[in-house]
């Protein structure tokens, strides 16, 4: 019973009982009521009520009855330094009061079966709480580890994606450079041909427009062997290079922003990309014949569009030395001017003898 008249040893006993209830009975909310408390209890908790006696005589039934009344429906626990009477032990077991004995050296032990049950129940609940807390910590640790692994995988994927994009950009620049170099070579050769034969440009466009090579290769795409496929694709790529050279010669620098030029350049790029795909550039493993045929058909469509644009861009031929039709003599008067290039003829006189006189 907490009163101001308790000696320091009694206070130590209350603090010891509080520690025991917290650690052994797993009642972590138990606290000492302190001096001047109005209730007849030394220890209180959410579902706990306790008394501590530090006297030399054993605790009797009356003290337990007072504890039972003060505790109500809470778990009632009594701590005694001098033990309990037999009547108190029987009454406590009947009314479910846990009895504990303690020593001045800091040791406590249960004094009745209900106290033993409280200790075992506390141990079971503590083990359950420990397992639950351990599982929760383990789940949190696993979740944190999985989150760290996920972030690491995402960072690695981003790094690999960036490397792959950089590699693809480098490959695209290399392909564009090679295509530009091939077209530049064909353009220079075509310009030299034009210097020698002015009709070489028209002849080249006519040859490309009437060529059946692209259609023939596309029709035989699924029947091409592994050895013939690279040669066929290289032949079509050469024709696209020739068409690119013609486009560069036909288009002056001031007309590079026209719709015709952009459409033609786009058709060349689509066709070259389709040929690269048919040739297996950038692919891993074997390319099925049906896939090769699909890419070659796409290249053929680009080729038809390209040839149409080149034919439209070809300038119309200039006609020279057009003959001027002669006008009948009876429609020509001396006052009307004669057509250019027609010489004026003087009339000839006819003599009386039928001869002509100049």
């Amino acid at each position: 019973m907490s009163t101001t008249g308790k000696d320091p040893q009694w206070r130590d006993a209350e603090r010891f009982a509080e520690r025991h209830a917290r650690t052994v009975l797993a009642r972590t909310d138990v606290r000492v009521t302190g001096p001047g408390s109005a209730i007849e209890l030394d220890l209180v908790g959410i579902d706990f009520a306790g008394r501590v006696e530090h006297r030399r005589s054993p605790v009797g039934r009356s003290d337990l009855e007072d504890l039972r009344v003060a505790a109500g429906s809470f778990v009632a626990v009594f701590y005694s330094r001098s033990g309990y009477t037999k009547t108190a032990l029987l009454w406590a077991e009947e009314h479910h009061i846990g009895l504990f004995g303690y020593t001045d050296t800091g040791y406590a032990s249960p004094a009745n079966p209900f106290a033993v049950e409280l200790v075992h129940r506390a141990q079971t609940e503590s083990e359950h709480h420990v397992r639950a807390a351990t599982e929760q910590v383990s789940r949190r640790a696993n979740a944190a580890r999985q989150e760290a692994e996920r972030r690491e995988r995402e960072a690695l994927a981003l790094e690999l994606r960036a490397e792959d994009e950089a590699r693809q950009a480098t490959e695209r620049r290399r392909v564009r450079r090679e295509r530009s170099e091939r077209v530049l070579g064909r353009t220079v050769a075509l310009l030299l041909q034009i210097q020698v034969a002015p009709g070489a440009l028209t002849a080249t466009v006519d040859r490309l427009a009437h060529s059946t090579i692209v259609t023939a290769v596309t029709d035989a795409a699924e029947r091409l062997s592994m050895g013939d496929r690279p040669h066929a694709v290289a032949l079509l790529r050469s024709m696209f290079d020739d068409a690119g050279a013609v486009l560069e010669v036909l288009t002056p620098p001031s007309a590079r922003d026209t719709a015709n030029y952009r459409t033609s350049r786009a058709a060349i790029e689509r066709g070259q990309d389709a040929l690269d795909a048919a040739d297996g550039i950038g692919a891993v493993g074997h390319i099925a014949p049906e896939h090769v045929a699909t890419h070659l058909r796409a290249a053929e469509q680009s080729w038809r569009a390209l040839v149409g644009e080149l034919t439209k861009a070809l300038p119309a031929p200039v006609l020279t030395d057009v003959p001027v039709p002669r006008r009948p003599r009876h429609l020509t008067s001396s006052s009307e001017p004669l057509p250019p290039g027609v010489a004026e003829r003087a009339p000839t006189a006819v003599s009386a003898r039928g001869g002509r006189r100049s």
Side-chain angles (χ1 to χ4, degrees), residues 20 49 82 90 144 146 149 180 195 201 211 224 243 255 271 273 293 303 315 325 344:
H20 181 272
S82 303
L90 295 175
Q146 293 175 0
E149 292 176 354
S180 300
Q195 293 295 325
L201 180 60
S211 176
L224 292 175
D273 291 340
W303 175 257
E344 182 178 0

Side-chain angles (χ1 to χ4, degrees), residues 153-167:
R153 288 194 301 269
E154 289 181 354
L156 181 59
L158 289 176
E159 183 178 357
L160 294 177
R161 190 179 301 114
E163 293 179 357
D164 185 63
E165 291 176 355
R167 184 168 55 254

Side-chain angles (χ1 to χ4, degrees), residues 185-353:
R186 300 296 177 91
T187 304
V188 172
L190 181 59
L191 289 174
L192 293 176
Q193 291 178 8
I194 295 173
Q195 293 295 325
V196 176
L201 180 60
T202 304
T204 303
V205 174
D206 185 70
R207 175 177 61 83
L208 295 177
H210 294 86
S211 176
T212 59
I213 295 178
V214 177
T215 303
V217 172
T218 303
D219 293 340
E222 295 186 359
R223 300 188 300 273
L224 292 175
S225 63
M226 295 293 294
D228 295 337
R229 185 185 302 170
H231 300 289
V233 173
L235 179 60
L236 299 187
R237 188 178 287 115
S238 176
M239 297 187 64
F240 272 95
D241 292 339
D242 289 340
V246 170
L247 178 64
E248 296 300 322
V249 173
L250 285 175
T251 309
S254 59
R256 297 295 170 88
D257 197 26
T258 59
N260 179 273
Y261 181 80
R262 291 197 301 269
T263 303
S264 301
R265 290 301 309 173
I268 292 175
E269 292 298 328
R270 289 196 304 270
Q272 293 282 19
D273 291 340
L275 293 177
D276 289 344
D279 202 16
I281 297 178
V284 178
H286 173 69
I287 302 178
E290 57 271 17
H291 294 166
V292 175
T294 301
H295 296 312
L296 291 181
R297 281 193 293 269
E300 182 186 12
Q301 294 177 358
S302 300
W303 175 257
R304 295 181 183 276
L306 174 60
V307 169
E309 294 295 333
L310 293 180
T311 304
K312 290 190 297 183
L314 189 67
V318 179
L319 300 178
T320 59
D321 299 331
V322 179
V324 178
R326 296 183 61 183
R327 300 183 66 181
R329 184 181 297 274
H330 68 277
L331 296 178
T332 304
S333 62
S334 58
S335 61
E336 293 181 354
L338 295 176
V342 179
E344 182 178 0
R345 294 181 179 180
T348 56
V350 179
S351 63
R353 293 189 297 182

